[in-house]
PDB file of all heavy atoms in Angstrom:
ATOM      1  N   THR W 825       0.973 -78.053  86.557  1.00  0.00           N
ATOM      2  CA  THR W 825       1.442 -77.791  85.153  1.00  0.00           C
ATOM      3  C   THR W 825       0.936 -78.895  84.218  1.00  0.00           C
ATOM      4  O   THR W 825       0.335 -78.606  83.172  1.00  0.00           O
ATOM      5  CB  THR W 825       2.993 -77.741  85.079  1.00  0.00           C
ATOM      6  OG1 THR W 825       3.429 -76.669  85.837  1.00  0.00           O
ATOM      7  CG2 THR W 825       3.472 -77.546  83.652  1.00  0.00           C
ATOM      8  N   LEU W 826       1.047 -80.156  84.675  1.00  0.00           N
ATOM      9  CA  LEU W 826       0.526 -81.233  83.859  1.00  0.00           C
ATOM     10  C   LEU W 826      -0.960 -81.306  83.836  1.00  0.00           C
ATOM     11  O   LEU W 826      -1.593 -81.712  82.807  1.00  0.00           O
ATOM     12  CB  LEU W 826       1.128 -82.573  84.348  1.00  0.00           C
ATOM     13  CG  LEU W 826       2.636 -82.720  84.216  1.00  0.00           C
ATOM     14  CD1 LEU W 826       3.122 -84.035  84.686  1.00  0.00           C
ATOM     15  CD2 LEU W 826       3.080 -82.517  82.802  1.00  0.00           C
ATOM     16  N   GLY W 827      -1.623 -80.887  84.892  1.00  0.00           N
ATOM     17  CA  GLY W 827      -3.109 -80.866  84.905  1.00  0.00           C
ATOM     18  C   GLY W 827      -3.649 -79.894  83.872  1.00  0.00           C
ATOM     19  O   GLY W 827      -4.785 -80.042  83.402  1.00  0.00           O
ATOM     20  N   ASP W 828      -2.858 -78.917  83.393  1.00  0.00           N
ATOM     21  CA  ASP W 828      -3.314 -77.984  82.411  1.00  0.00           C
ATOM     22  C   ASP W 828      -3.110 -78.470  80.992  1.00  0.00           C
ATOM     23  O   ASP W 828      -3.651 -77.914  80.074  1.00  0.00           O
ATOM     24  CB  ASP W 828      -2.560 -76.668  82.547  1.00  0.00           C
ATOM     25  CG  ASP W 828      -2.939 -75.824  83.751  1.00  0.00           C
ATOM     26  OD1 ASP W 828      -4.062 -76.075  84.262  1.00  0.00           O
ATOM     27  OD2 ASP W 828      -2.132 -74.938  84.129  1.00  0.00           O
ATOM     28  N   LEU W 829      -2.419 -79.543  80.837  1.00  0.00           N
ATOM     29  CA  LEU W 829      -2.208 -80.183  79.503  1.00  0.00           C
ATOM     30  C   LEU W 829      -3.473 -80.950  79.109  1.00  0.00           C
ATOM     31  O   LEU W 829      -3.996 -81.836  79.820  1.00  0.00           O
ATOM     32  CB  LEU W 829      -1.044 -81.085  79.482  1.00  0.00           C
ATOM     33  CG  LEU W 829       0.343 -80.637  79.233  1.00  0.00           C
ATOM     34  CD1 LEU W 829       1.346 -81.821  79.240  1.00  0.00           C
ATOM     35  CD2 LEU W 829       0.414 -79.849  77.961  1.00  0.00           C
ATOM     36  N   ASP W 830      -3.977 -80.628  77.910  1.00  0.00           N
ATOM     37  CA  ASP W 830      -5.108 -81.377  77.357  1.00  0.00           C
ATOM     38  C   ASP W 830      -4.714 -82.855  77.102  1.00  0.00           C
ATOM     39  O   ASP W 830      -3.721 -83.135  76.489  1.00  0.00           O
ATOM     40  CB  ASP W 830      -5.547 -80.754  76.024  1.00  0.00           C
ATOM     41  CG  ASP W 830      -6.787 -81.450  75.474  1.00  0.00           C
ATOM     42  OD1 ASP W 830      -7.702 -81.763  76.213  1.00  0.00           O
ATOM     43  OD2 ASP W 830      -6.754 -81.662  74.245  1.00  0.00           O
ATOM     44  N   GLY W 831      -5.443 -83.753  77.762  1.00  0.00           N
ATOM     45  CA  GLY W 831      -5.179 -85.179  77.618  1.00  0.00           C
ATOM     46  C   GLY W 831      -4.594 -85.832  78.811  1.00  0.00           C
ATOM     47  O   GLY W 831      -4.564 -87.068  78.904  1.00  0.00           O
ATOM     48  N   VAL W 832      -4.032 -85.010  79.727  1.00  0.00           N
ATOM     49  CA  VAL W 832      -3.518 -85.576  80.996  1.00  0.00           C
ATOM     50  C   VAL W 832      -4.680 -85.859  81.919  1.00  0.00           C
ATOM     51  O   VAL W 832      -5.472 -84.941  82.236  1.00  0.00           O
ATOM     52  CB  VAL W 832      -2.474 -84.666  81.657  1.00  0.00           C
ATOM     53  CG1 VAL W 832      -2.096 -85.208  82.987  1.00  0.00           C
ATOM     54  CG2 VAL W 832      -1.250 -84.574  80.786  1.00  0.00           C
ATOM     55  N   ILE W 833      -4.837 -87.083  82.330  1.00  0.00           N
ATOM     56  CA  ILE W 833      -5.910 -87.440  83.279  1.00  0.00           C
ATOM     57  C   ILE W 833      -5.521 -87.198  84.690  1.00  0.00           C
ATOM     58  O   ILE W 833      -6.260 -86.698  85.469  1.00  0.00           O
ATOM     59  CB  ILE W 833      -6.322 -88.980  83.046  1.00  0.00           C
ATOM     60  CG1 ILE W 833      -6.475 -89.331  81.582  1.00  0.00           C
ATOM     61  CG2 ILE W 833      -7.449 -89.347  83.905  1.00  0.00           C
ATOM     62  CD1 ILE W 833      -7.567 -88.528  80.867  1.00  0.00           C
ATOM     63  N   SER W 834      -4.265 -87.634  85.084  1.00  0.00           N
ATOM     64  CA  SER W 834      -3.775 -87.430  86.387  1.00  0.00           C
ATOM     65  C   SER W 834      -2.268 -87.365  86.408  1.00  0.00           C
ATOM     66  O   SER W 834      -1.647 -87.957  85.544  1.00  0.00           O
ATOM     67  CB  SER W 834      -4.279 -88.543  87.349  1.00  0.00           C
ATOM     68  OG  SER W 834      -3.685 -89.777  87.024  1.00  0.00           O
ATOM     69  N   ALA W 835      -1.762 -86.709  87.416  1.00  0.00           N
ATOM     70  CA  ALA W 835      -0.301 -86.630  87.526  1.00  0.00           C
ATOM     71  C   ALA W 835       0.059 -86.581  89.006  1.00  0.00           C
ATOM     72  O   ALA W 835      -0.659 -85.885  89.843  1.00  0.00           O
ATOM     73  CB  ALA W 835       0.214 -85.368  86.854  1.00  0.00           C
ATOM     74  N   LYS W 836       1.064 -87.312  89.423  1.00  0.00           N
ATOM     75  CA  LYS W 836       1.513 -87.365  90.826  1.00  0.00           C
ATOM     76  C   LYS W 836       3.007 -87.352  90.804  1.00  0.00           C
ATOM     77  O   LYS W 836       3.668 -88.275  90.427  1.00  0.00           O
ATOM     78  CB  LYS W 836       0.938 -88.675  91.469  1.00  0.00           C
ATOM     79  CG  LYS W 836       1.433 -88.808  92.900  1.00  0.00           C
ATOM     80  CD  LYS W 836       0.799 -87.735  93.798  1.00  0.00           C
ATOM     81  CE  LYS W 836       1.194 -88.022  95.279  1.00  0.00           C
ATOM     82  NZ  LYS W 836       1.352 -86.790  95.988  1.00  0.00           N
ATOM     83  N   ALA W 837       3.544 -86.208  91.289  1.00  0.00           N
ATOM     84  CA  ALA W 837       5.024 -86.060  91.371  1.00  0.00           C
ATOM     85  C   ALA W 837       5.481 -86.564  92.720  1.00  0.00           C
ATOM     86  O   ALA W 837       4.766 -86.380  93.754  1.00  0.00           O
ATOM     87  CB  ALA W 837       5.390 -84.577  91.164  1.00  0.00           C
ATOM     88  N   ASP W 838       6.643 -87.213  92.792  1.00  0.00           N
ATOM     89  CA  ASP W 838       7.182 -87.777  94.018  1.00  0.00           C
ATOM     90  C   ASP W 838       8.652 -87.408  94.061  1.00  0.00           C
ATOM     91  O   ASP W 838       9.484 -88.024  93.373  1.00  0.00           O
ATOM     92  CB  ASP W 838       6.967 -89.304  94.026  1.00  0.00           C
ATOM     93  CG  ASP W 838       7.407 -89.912  95.330  1.00  0.00           C
ATOM     94  OD1 ASP W 838       8.182 -89.316  96.052  1.00  0.00           O
ATOM     95  OD2 ASP W 838       7.024 -91.069  95.541  1.00  0.00           O
ATOM     96  N   ARG W 839       9.007 -86.446  94.905  1.00  0.00           N
ATOM     97  CA  ARG W 839      10.392 -86.008  94.928  1.00  0.00           C
ATOM     98  C   ARG W 839      11.380 -87.076  95.500  1.00  0.00           C
ATOM     99  O   ARG W 839      12.524 -87.153  95.070  1.00  0.00           O
ATOM    100  CB  ARG W 839      10.522 -84.735  95.748  1.00  0.00           C
ATOM    101  CG  ARG W 839      10.258 -84.830  97.186  1.00  0.00           C
ATOM    102  CD  ARG W 839      10.272 -83.500  97.948  1.00  0.00           C
ATOM    103  NE  ARG W 839       9.900 -83.644  99.332  1.00  0.00           N
ATOM    104  CZ  ARG W 839       8.633 -83.577  99.769  1.00  0.00           C
ATOM    105  NH1 ARG W 839       7.673 -83.434  98.997  1.00  0.00           N
ATOM    106  NH2 ARG W 839       8.408 -83.644 101.071  1.00  0.00           N
ATOM    107  N   SER W 840      10.900 -87.916  96.412  1.00  0.00           N
ATOM    108  CA  SER W 840      11.798 -88.900  96.955  1.00  0.00           C
ATOM    109  C   SER W 840      12.049 -90.003  95.975  1.00  0.00           C
ATOM    110  O   SER W 840      13.196 -90.601  95.911  1.00  0.00           O
ATOM    111  CB  SER W 840      11.216 -89.556  98.257  1.00  0.00           C
ATOM    112  OG  SER W 840       9.919 -90.169  97.979  1.00  0.00           O
ATOM    113  N   ALA W 841      11.119 -90.302  95.047  1.00  0.00           N
ATOM    114  CA  ALA W 841      11.361 -91.262  94.005  1.00  0.00           C
ATOM    115  C   ALA W 841      11.967 -90.636  92.743  1.00  0.00           C
ATOM    116  O   ALA W 841      12.356 -91.365  91.828  1.00  0.00           O
ATOM    117  CB  ALA W 841      10.022 -91.926  93.603  1.00  0.00           C
ATOM    118  N   GLU W 842      12.086 -89.314  92.733  1.00  0.00           N
ATOM    119  CA  GLU W 842      12.513 -88.590  91.548  1.00  0.00           C
ATOM    120  C   GLU W 842      11.781 -89.023  90.298  1.00  0.00           C
ATOM    121  O   GLU W 842      12.358 -89.344  89.298  1.00  0.00           O
ATOM    122  CB  GLU W 842      14.067 -88.715  91.385  1.00  0.00           C
ATOM    123  CG  GLU W 842      14.836 -88.060  92.522  1.00  0.00           C
ATOM    124  CD  GLU W 842      16.294 -88.031  92.260  1.00  0.00           C
ATOM    125  OE1 GLU W 842      16.874 -88.960  91.637  1.00  0.00           O
ATOM    126  OE2 GLU W 842      16.923 -87.026  92.660  1.00  0.00           O
ATOM    127  N   ALA W 843      10.458 -89.036  90.441  1.00  0.00           N
ATOM    128  CA  ALA W 843       9.620 -89.456  89.296  1.00  0.00           C
ATOM    129  C   ALA W 843       8.260 -88.796  89.362  1.00  0.00           C
ATOM    130  O   ALA W 843       7.805 -88.343  90.409  1.00  0.00           O
ATOM    131  CB  ALA W 843       9.451 -90.976  89.301  1.00  0.00           C
ATOM    132  N   THR W 844       7.659 -88.720  88.237  1.00  0.00           N
ATOM    133  CA  THR W 844       6.257 -88.247  88.143  1.00  0.00           C
ATOM    134  C   THR W 844       5.454 -89.302  87.389  1.00  0.00           C
ATOM    135  O   THR W 844       5.772 -89.765  86.326  1.00  0.00           O
ATOM    136  CB  THR W 844       6.186 -86.925  87.337  1.00  0.00           C
ATOM    137  OG1 THR W 844       7.089 -85.964  87.935  1.00  0.00           O
ATOM    138  CG2 THR W 844       4.794 -86.428  87.289  1.00  0.00           C
ATOM    139  N   SER W 845       4.404 -89.766  88.008  1.00  0.00           N
ATOM    140  CA  SER W 845       3.483 -90.806  87.458  1.00  0.00           C
ATOM    141  C   SER W 845       2.361 -90.060  86.766  1.00  0.00           C
ATOM    142  O   SER W 845       1.729 -89.165  87.361  1.00  0.00           O
ATOM    143  CB  SER W 845       2.869 -91.687  88.579  1.00  0.00           C
ATOM    144  OG  SER W 845       3.919 -92.368  89.209  1.00  0.00           O
ATOM    145  N   VAL W 846       2.173 -90.364  85.500  1.00  0.00           N
ATOM    146  CA  VAL W 846       1.135 -89.668  84.697  1.00  0.00           C
ATOM    147  C   VAL W 846       0.272 -90.697  83.976  1.00  0.00           C
ATOM    148  O   VAL W 846       0.727 -91.627  83.387  1.00  0.00           O
ATOM    149  CB  VAL W 846       1.848 -88.726  83.584  1.00  0.00           C
ATOM    150  CG1 VAL W 846       0.846 -87.938  82.861  1.00  0.00           C
ATOM    151  CG2 VAL W 846       2.876 -87.841  84.294  1.00  0.00           C
ATOM    152  N   THR W 847      -1.026 -90.400  84.029  1.00  0.00           N
ATOM    153  CA  THR W 847      -2.002 -91.194  83.205  1.00  0.00           C
ATOM    154  C   THR W 847      -2.540 -90.159  82.242  1.00  0.00           C
ATOM    155  O   THR W 847      -2.985 -89.091  82.573  1.00  0.00           O
ATOM    156  CB  THR W 847      -3.151 -91.715  84.133  1.00  0.00           C
ATOM    157  OG1 THR W 847      -2.548 -92.576  85.127  1.00  0.00           O
ATOM    158  CG2 THR W 847      -4.123 -92.506  83.323  1.00  0.00           C
ATOM    159  N   TYR W 848      -2.517 -90.638  80.940  1.00  0.00           N
ATOM    160  CA  TYR W 848      -2.920 -89.681  79.893  1.00  0.00           C
ATOM    161  C   TYR W 848      -3.582 -90.399  78.726  1.00  0.00           C
ATOM    162  O   TYR W 848      -3.584 -91.641  78.624  1.00  0.00           O
ATOM    163  CB  TYR W 848      -1.692 -88.961  79.385  1.00  0.00           C
ATOM    164  CG  TYR W 848      -0.701 -89.758  78.655  1.00  0.00           C
ATOM    165  CD1 TYR W 848      -0.654 -89.900  77.279  1.00  0.00           C
ATOM    166  CD2 TYR W 848       0.317 -90.505  79.392  1.00  0.00           C
ATOM    167  CE1 TYR W 848       0.309 -90.660  76.635  1.00  0.00           C
ATOM    168  CE2 TYR W 848       1.192 -91.289  78.738  1.00  0.00           C
ATOM    169  CZ  TYR W 848       1.240 -91.328  77.398  1.00  0.00           C
ATOM    170  OH  TYR W 848       2.146 -92.128  76.772  1.00  0.00           O
ATOM    171  N   ASP W 849      -4.195 -89.609  77.888  1.00  0.00           N
ATOM    172  CA  ASP W 849      -4.941 -90.115  76.693  1.00  0.00           C
ATOM    173  C   ASP W 849      -3.964 -89.935  75.498  1.00  0.00           C
ATOM    174  O   ASP W 849      -3.721 -88.790  75.105  1.00  0.00           O
ATOM    175  CB  ASP W 849      -6.201 -89.319  76.464  1.00  0.00           C
ATOM    176  CG  ASP W 849      -6.971 -89.694  75.216  1.00  0.00           C
ATOM    177  OD1 ASP W 849      -6.419 -90.454  74.374  1.00  0.00           O
ATOM    178  OD2 ASP W 849      -8.098 -89.282  75.032  1.00  0.00           O
ATOM    179  N   PRO W 850      -3.368 -90.990  74.943  1.00  0.00           N
ATOM    180  CA  PRO W 850      -2.371 -90.853  73.885  1.00  0.00           C
ATOM    181  C   PRO W 850      -2.919 -90.266  72.620  1.00  0.00           C
ATOM    182  O   PRO W 850      -2.163 -89.849  71.707  1.00  0.00           O
ATOM    183  CB  PRO W 850      -1.868 -92.269  73.681  1.00  0.00           C
ATOM    184  CG  PRO W 850      -2.937 -93.138  74.204  1.00  0.00           C
ATOM    185  CD  PRO W 850      -3.624 -92.390  75.290  1.00  0.00           C
ATOM    186  N   ALA W 851      -4.240 -90.206  72.472  1.00  0.00           N
ATOM    187  CA  ALA W 851      -4.835 -89.600  71.305  1.00  0.00           C
ATOM    188  C   ALA W 851      -4.783 -88.061  71.389  1.00  0.00           C
ATOM    189  O   ALA W 851      -4.999 -87.385  70.392  1.00  0.00           O
ATOM    190  CB  ALA W 851      -6.315 -90.086  71.081  1.00  0.00           C
ATOM    191  N   ARG W 852      -4.617 -87.581  72.623  1.00  0.00           N
ATOM    192  CA  ARG W 852      -4.604 -86.117  72.824  1.00  0.00           C
ATOM    193  C   ARG W 852      -3.311 -85.447  73.205  1.00  0.00           C
ATOM    194  O   ARG W 852      -3.109 -84.298  73.045  1.00  0.00           O
ATOM    195  CB  ARG W 852      -5.713 -85.804  73.884  1.00  0.00           C
ATOM    196  CG  ARG W 852      -7.099 -86.145  73.404  1.00  0.00           C
ATOM    197  CD  ARG W 852      -8.150 -86.198  74.443  1.00  0.00           C
ATOM    198  NE  ARG W 852      -8.266 -84.968  75.135  1.00  0.00           N
ATOM    199  CZ  ARG W 852      -8.848 -84.903  76.356  1.00  0.00           C
ATOM    200  NH1 ARG W 852      -9.400 -85.920  76.949  1.00  0.00           N
ATOM    201  NH2 ARG W 852      -8.969 -83.740  76.957  1.00  0.00           N
ATOM    202  N   VAL W 853      -2.381 -86.319  73.806  1.00  0.00           N
ATOM    203  CA  VAL W 853      -1.066 -85.783  74.176  1.00  0.00           C
ATOM    204  C   VAL W 853      -0.080 -86.913  74.116  1.00  0.00           C
ATOM    205  O   VAL W 853      -0.496 -88.102  74.294  1.00  0.00           O
ATOM    206  CB  VAL W 853      -1.184 -85.140  75.611  1.00  0.00           C
ATOM    207  CG1 VAL W 853      -1.420 -86.206  76.685  1.00  0.00           C
ATOM    208  CG2 VAL W 853       0.019 -84.339  75.921  1.00  0.00           C
ATOM    209  N   ASP W 854       1.215 -86.596  73.945  1.00  0.00           N
ATOM    210  CA  ASP W 854       2.187 -87.670  73.915  1.00  0.00           C
ATOM    211  C   ASP W 854       3.244 -87.434  75.004  1.00  0.00           C
ATOM    212  O   ASP W 854       3.201 -86.359  75.684  1.00  0.00           O
ATOM    213  CB  ASP W 854       2.876 -87.767  72.522  1.00  0.00           C
ATOM    214  CG  ASP W 854       3.625 -86.506  72.119  1.00  0.00           C
ATOM    215  OD1 ASP W 854       3.972 -85.669  72.999  1.00  0.00           O
ATOM    216  OD2 ASP W 854       3.930 -86.359  70.956  1.00  0.00           O
ATOM    217  N   VAL W 855       4.052 -88.401  75.215  1.00  0.00           N
ATOM    218  CA  VAL W 855       5.007 -88.379  76.321  1.00  0.00           C
ATOM    219  C   VAL W 855       6.025 -87.201  76.172  1.00  0.00           C
ATOM    220  O   VAL W 855       6.294 -86.496  77.167  1.00  0.00           O
ATOM    221  CB  VAL W 855       5.813 -89.733  76.406  1.00  0.00           C
ATOM    222  CG1 VAL W 855       6.982 -89.583  77.423  1.00  0.00           C
ATOM    223  CG2 VAL W 855       4.913 -90.841  76.816  1.00  0.00           C
ATOM    224  N   GLN W 856       6.392 -86.894  74.927  1.00  0.00           N
ATOM    225  CA  GLN W 856       7.310 -85.816  74.729  1.00  0.00           C
ATOM    226  C   GLN W 856       6.683 -84.471  75.169  1.00  0.00           C
ATOM    227  O   GLN W 856       7.398 -83.648  75.762  1.00  0.00           O
ATOM    228  CB  GLN W 856       7.787 -85.736  73.257  1.00  0.00           C
ATOM    229  CG  GLN W 856       8.955 -84.832  73.066  1.00  0.00           C
ATOM    230  CD  GLN W 856      10.186 -85.248  73.965  1.00  0.00           C
ATOM    231  OE1 GLN W 856      10.484 -86.421  74.072  1.00  0.00           O
ATOM    232  NE2 GLN W 856      10.866 -84.290  74.560  1.00  0.00           N
ATOM    233  N   ALA W 857       5.465 -84.263  74.934  1.00  0.00           N
ATOM    234  CA  ALA W 857       4.823 -83.069  75.383  1.00  0.00           C
ATOM    235  C   ALA W 857       4.715 -82.959  76.893  1.00  0.00           C
ATOM    236  O   ALA W 857       4.868 -81.887  77.507  1.00  0.00           O
ATOM    237  CB  ALA W 857       3.382 -82.943  74.731  1.00  0.00           C
ATOM    238  N   ILE W 858       4.558 -84.060  77.496  1.00  0.00           N
ATOM    239  CA  ILE W 858       4.494 -84.153  79.010  1.00  0.00           C
ATOM    240  C   ILE W 858       5.894 -83.800  79.564  1.00  0.00           C
ATOM    241  O   ILE W 858       6.015 -82.986  80.442  1.00  0.00           O
ATOM    242  CB  ILE W 858       4.007 -85.559  79.496  1.00  0.00           C
ATOM    243  CG1 ILE W 858       2.544 -85.712  79.070  1.00  0.00           C
ATOM    244  CG2 ILE W 858       4.217 -85.691  81.003  1.00  0.00           C
ATOM    245  CD1 ILE W 858       2.009 -87.117  79.215  1.00  0.00           C
ATOM    246  N   VAL W 859       6.921 -84.374  78.957  1.00  0.00           N
ATOM    247  CA  VAL W 859       8.292 -84.181  79.386  1.00  0.00           C
ATOM    248  C   VAL W 859       8.605 -82.661  79.184  1.00  0.00           C
ATOM    249  O   VAL W 859       9.158 -82.020  80.064  1.00  0.00           O
ATOM    250  CB  VAL W 859       9.294 -85.027  78.615  1.00  0.00           C
ATOM    251  CG1 VAL W 859      10.723 -84.583  78.813  1.00  0.00           C
ATOM    252  CG2 VAL W 859       9.154 -86.490  79.014  1.00  0.00           C
ATOM    253  N   GLU W 860       8.221 -82.049  78.055  1.00  0.00           N
ATOM    254  CA  GLU W 860       8.494 -80.625  77.831  1.00  0.00           C
ATOM    255  C   GLU W 860       7.799 -79.760  78.792  1.00  0.00           C
ATOM    256  O   GLU W 860       8.306 -78.720  79.247  1.00  0.00           O
ATOM    257  CB  GLU W 860       8.115 -80.294  76.362  1.00  0.00           C
ATOM    258  CG  GLU W 860       9.082 -80.880  75.361  1.00  0.00           C
ATOM    259  CD  GLU W 860      10.498 -80.456  75.505  1.00  0.00           C
ATOM    260  OE1 GLU W 860      10.764 -79.314  75.876  1.00  0.00           O
ATOM    261  OE2 GLU W 860      11.371 -81.357  75.304  1.00  0.00           O
ATOM    262  N   ALA W 861       6.539 -80.147  79.242  1.00  0.00           N
ATOM    263  CA  ALA W 861       5.838 -79.387  80.195  1.00  0.00           C
ATOM    264  C   ALA W 861       6.537 -79.359  81.568  1.00  0.00           C
ATOM    265  O   ALA W 861       6.632 -78.345  82.232  1.00  0.00           O
ATOM    266  CB  ALA W 861       4.436 -79.911  80.332  1.00  0.00           C
ATOM    267  N   ILE W 862       7.076 -80.529  81.952  1.00  0.00           N
ATOM    268  CA  ILE W 862       7.802 -80.651  83.201  1.00  0.00           C
ATOM    269  C   ILE W 862       9.091 -79.755  83.097  1.00  0.00           C
ATOM    270  O   ILE W 862       9.403 -78.983  84.031  1.00  0.00           O
ATOM    271  CB  ILE W 862       8.183 -82.046  83.533  1.00  0.00           C
ATOM    272  CG1 ILE W 862       6.934 -82.873  83.800  1.00  0.00           C
ATOM    273  CG2 ILE W 862       9.150 -82.129  84.761  1.00  0.00           C
ATOM    274  CD1 ILE W 862       7.142 -84.426  83.961  1.00  0.00           C
ATOM    275  N   ARG W 863       9.764 -79.759  82.002  1.00  0.00           N
ATOM    276  CA  ARG W 863      10.995 -78.991  81.791  1.00  0.00           C
ATOM    277  C   ARG W 863      10.621 -77.486  81.820  1.00  0.00           C
ATOM    278  O   ARG W 863      11.333 -76.703  82.365  1.00  0.00           O
ATOM    279  CB  ARG W 863      11.626 -79.333  80.472  1.00  0.00           C
ATOM    280  CG  ARG W 863      12.305 -80.694  80.507  1.00  0.00           C
ATOM    281  CD  ARG W 863      12.932 -80.979  79.189  1.00  0.00           C
ATOM    282  NE  ARG W 863      13.539 -82.324  79.152  1.00  0.00           N
ATOM    283  CZ  ARG W 863      13.865 -82.968  78.052  1.00  0.00           C
ATOM    284  NH1 ARG W 863      13.660 -82.461  76.864  1.00  0.00           N
ATOM    285  NH2 ARG W 863      14.445 -84.167  78.164  1.00  0.00           N
ATOM    286  N   SER W 864       9.497 -77.160  81.250  1.00  0.00           N
ATOM    287  CA  SER W 864       9.111 -75.701  81.212  1.00  0.00           C
ATOM    288  C   SER W 864       8.798 -75.181  82.603  1.00  0.00           C
ATOM    289  O   SER W 864       8.885 -74.001  82.862  1.00  0.00           O
ATOM    290  CB  SER W 864       7.836 -75.510  80.285  1.00  0.00           C
ATOM    291  OG  SER W 864       6.706 -75.951  80.924  1.00  0.00           O
ATOM    292  N   ALA W 865       8.467 -76.090  83.561  1.00  0.00           N
ATOM    293  CA  ALA W 865       8.196 -75.735  84.936  1.00  0.00           C
ATOM    294  C   ALA W 865       9.489 -75.638  85.732  1.00  0.00           C
ATOM    295  O   ALA W 865       9.532 -75.174  86.837  1.00  0.00           O
ATOM    296  CB  ALA W 865       7.312 -76.745  85.609  1.00  0.00           C
ATOM    297  N   GLY W 866      10.635 -75.946  85.064  1.00  0.00           N
ATOM    298  CA  GLY W 866      11.943 -75.748  85.705  1.00  0.00           C
ATOM    299  C   GLY W 866      12.635 -76.984  86.288  1.00  0.00           C
ATOM    300  O   GLY W 866      13.551 -76.899  87.081  1.00  0.00           O
ATOM    301  N   TYR W 867      12.166 -78.177  85.883  1.00  0.00           N
ATOM    302  CA  TYR W 867      12.699 -79.442  86.358  1.00  0.00           C
ATOM    303  C   TYR W 867      13.295 -80.238  85.303  1.00  0.00           C
ATOM    304  O   TYR W 867      12.924 -80.131  84.125  1.00  0.00           O
ATOM    305  CB  TYR W 867      11.580 -80.220  87.150  1.00  0.00           C
ATOM    306  CG  TYR W 867      10.986 -79.384  88.250  1.00  0.00           C
ATOM    307  CD1 TYR W 867       9.881 -78.562  88.053  1.00  0.00           C
ATOM    308  CD2 TYR W 867      11.624 -79.325  89.475  1.00  0.00           C
ATOM    309  CE1 TYR W 867       9.411 -77.762  89.047  1.00  0.00           C
ATOM    310  CE2 TYR W 867      11.141 -78.534  90.528  1.00  0.00           C
ATOM    311  CZ  TYR W 867       9.989 -77.792  90.318  1.00  0.00           C
ATOM    312  OH  TYR W 867       9.578 -76.918  91.264  1.00  0.00           O
ATOM    313  N   GLU W 868      14.234 -81.132  85.628  1.00  0.00           N
ATOM    314  CA  GLU W 868      14.777 -82.050  84.690  1.00  0.00           C
ATOM    315  C   GLU W 868      13.840 -83.206  84.504  1.00  0.00           C
ATOM    316  O   GLU W 868      13.396 -83.792  85.427  1.00  0.00           O
ATOM    317  CB  GLU W 868      16.164 -82.552  85.191  1.00  0.00           C
ATOM    318  CG  GLU W 868      17.235 -81.493  85.255  1.00  0.00           C
ATOM    319  CD  GLU W 868      18.516 -82.062  85.807  1.00  0.00           C
ATOM    320  OE1 GLU W 868      18.851 -83.252  85.445  1.00  0.00           O
ATOM    321  OE2 GLU W 868      19.099 -81.375  86.725  1.00  0.00           O
ATOM    322  N   ALA W 869      13.585 -83.565  83.225  1.00  0.00           N
ATOM    323  CA  ALA W 869      12.758 -84.729  82.916  1.00  0.00           C
ATOM    324  C   ALA W 869      13.205 -85.343  81.677  1.00  0.00           C
ATOM    325  O   ALA W 869      13.763 -84.769  80.802  1.00  0.00           O
ATOM    326  CB  ALA W 869      11.262 -84.269  82.815  1.00  0.00           C
TER     327      ALA W 869
END
């Protein structure tokens, strides 16, 4: 889901850490859009 967002360079979700590590270009996407994308996939973020 995050890989489809314009501006996201990489994403690594880790269920045991309950976190997603994201590298992105802030000129193309912001944190709120990333959070909303995770939520749209059905997860709390």
Side-chain angles (χ1 to χ4, degrees):
T825 298
L826 293 180
D828 287 342
L829 273 183
D830 183 42
V832 171
I833 310 302
S834 67
K836 178 69 176 144
D838 184 344
R839 67 184 176 274
S840 63
E842 294 188 323
T844 303
S845 300
V846 183
T847 301
Y848 66 98
D849 177 350
R852 295 166 58 198
V853 69
D854 62 18
V855 171
Q856 194 56 45
I858 294 167
V859 167
E860 289 302 322
I862 294 170
R863 289 178 181 163
S864 75
Y867 302 92
E868 295 177 40

